[in-house]
Amino acid sequence: MKKISVPLDAKQIQSLKAGDEVLLTGDLFTARDQAHKRLIAAKKLPLDLKGQVIYYCGPTNTPKGEVIGSCGPTTSSRMDGYTARLLRKGLSAMIGKGRRSKEVRLAIKKHKAVYFLAYAGCGALVSKYVRKVVPVAYQDLGPEAIVRLEVKDLPLIVAIDSKGKDIYEA
Amino acid sequence: MKVIPALKITKVITDLCVQANLFLRKDVLAAIQKAYRLEKSQRAKRILAAVIENARVAKKEKLAICQDTGMPIVFLEIGQDVRITGSLKDAVNRGVELGYKKASLRNSIIREPLARGKSGLSPAVTHIDIVKGNKIKITVLPKGFGCENKSQLKMFNPTAKLEEIKKFIIDAVKAAGPDACPPYVVGVGIGGTADYACLLAKKALLRKLGPARSGMERELLRRINALNIGPMGLGGKATCIGVHIETFPTHIAGLPVAVNISCHALRSATAII
């Protein structure tokens, strides 16, 4: 299986085709509903989104002795209304589950970004690919805080590629 | 009159919360394994293999099956010959809090639905039935919201054709599409009132997966699996591993039909005290 790593350069992103299965290594930033709402409203972003990957995920609490708790993807479409604005700020990839809106698909194409699916409903399994967790912002949001996850060989499926091709529209 | 202290109820609910969230129901796992065997698409097979592996990892490492440990729903069937000492409501919520804390589950519950704010572990949504006898049957169903968000209710005319109802149920699954973690279990409540049909649909998820109980269940299962939604919505035979229909008497003027979809991580645990 093809291996890719963050930061994803333009060449790497453009080589990905909807339907490809890949293993991703590098840093991801978790963000879901409330974090998106804040990112959009923020005068100054708590992190530079340029070239970064957002993972739509709200992990469980961390059991003793584990790096992280269960941490699978949440439904991406709830973030659709915010996505184009984050792509404009330089975000290069998103990981989640399920379909995206047409607006998101077009924005992904315009900004030559990519949307991946992670194995849905497999949070225990996904946690095994996480090597390190670092809090980044909005800790008061609990499971919805932004944290940086260092992942190794996380299995993903390319759902919308940089040409705007969508696995769900095939 | 049998006396059951509220503390006992707390203890049992604590254990049920842990059990439900960490150990996938045997019937659910068996249904997914069967779906894996029947699946032809290699990608669908890989996804189902991941779902099976996920259940194994969760059990072995005491991790939540899914990070969405749900809104805890507690069903209580209380025998009329039982007297509970202490506050039942507090006992239930305390049990949920202790169980969710013990297994490091997720703080998914916010106190104010509009103002939102900081999330916590409780309260649970509690449904109480008074039944005969001197026991209490307790079931905990942690319901994730990826699939709960796909719930539907329709108040049909009493003269509605059966096919319209079937189509409504199938369309609810179509609307959920890839987003709510298929293969699904589809709970259907028919009859009662608007609220009661929704409760029946939810309760239908508690039924053990197995052979269809009616021609209608069998037909719906077949038609839903012909939609080719498949695991993660990427195509395949396994869109649904069970359609459960519960009915109740209703009013001459109406025909409520509710659909409550569960993701493949259908979690619940039951105990009797």
Side-chain angles (χ1 to χ4, degrees), chain B residues 169-185:
Chain B
I169 297 163
I170 294 166
D171 285 349
V173 177
K174 265 194 210 167
D179 301 343
C181 292
Y184 300 130
V185 177

Side-chain angles (χ1 to χ4, degrees), chain A residues 21 58 61 72 125 128 168, chain B residues 46 54 61 67 105-106 232:
Chain A
E21 298 193 16
N61 289 312
L125 189 60
K128 298 289 120 193
Y168 291 120
Chain B
R46 271 200 297 282
N54 183 66
E61 309 220 3
Q67 75 288 339
L105 304 178
R106 195 171 74 181
M232 277 174 71

